[in-house]
Amino acid sequence: MVITDNLERSGLFIPIDQKAFIQSTESLSNQPRFEDWKVIKAQHLVVGKIESNNNKIAIEFRLF
């Protein structure tokens, strides 16, 4: 939620409530179904994940 809040405070993004999502957030890492996002009028899609392994943190994000 920190990233969502930061993007919203920038004034450039209006987050969509997760309850409106058609595609699950877990399946986004494979391939977004762009038609599902068009239905809820999403103009941009940001997908990310954070992994911790052996005291190292890996952060990945994608912007569609």
Side-chain angles (χ1 to χ4, degrees):
M1 294 310 278
V2 172
I3 295 171
T4 301
D5 293 343
N6 287 343
L7 290 171
E8 184 174 17
R9 278 193 294 272
S10 76
L12 300 173
F13 297 88
I14 302 171
I16 297 173
D17 188 340
Q18 288 188 6
K19 293 175 186 170
F21 292 3
I22 297 169
Q23 183 176 13
S24 70
T25 55
E26 292 81 22
S27 67
L28 285 173
S29 61
N30 296 325
Q31 176 64 39
R33 292 188 314 260
F34 295 108
E35 291 301 318
D36 288 353
W37 297 98
K38 287 180 184 178
V39 169
I40 60 173
K41 305 210 184 314
Q43 295 179 345
H44 304 88
L45 181 60
V46 179
V47 180
K49 66 180 178 179
I50 300 173
E51 294 179 346
S52 176
N53 190 7
N54 296 329
N55 294 326
K56 293 183 180 180
I57 298 174
I59 301 171
E60 177 184 328
F61 74 92
R62 298 176 185 184
L63 173 63
F64 298 96

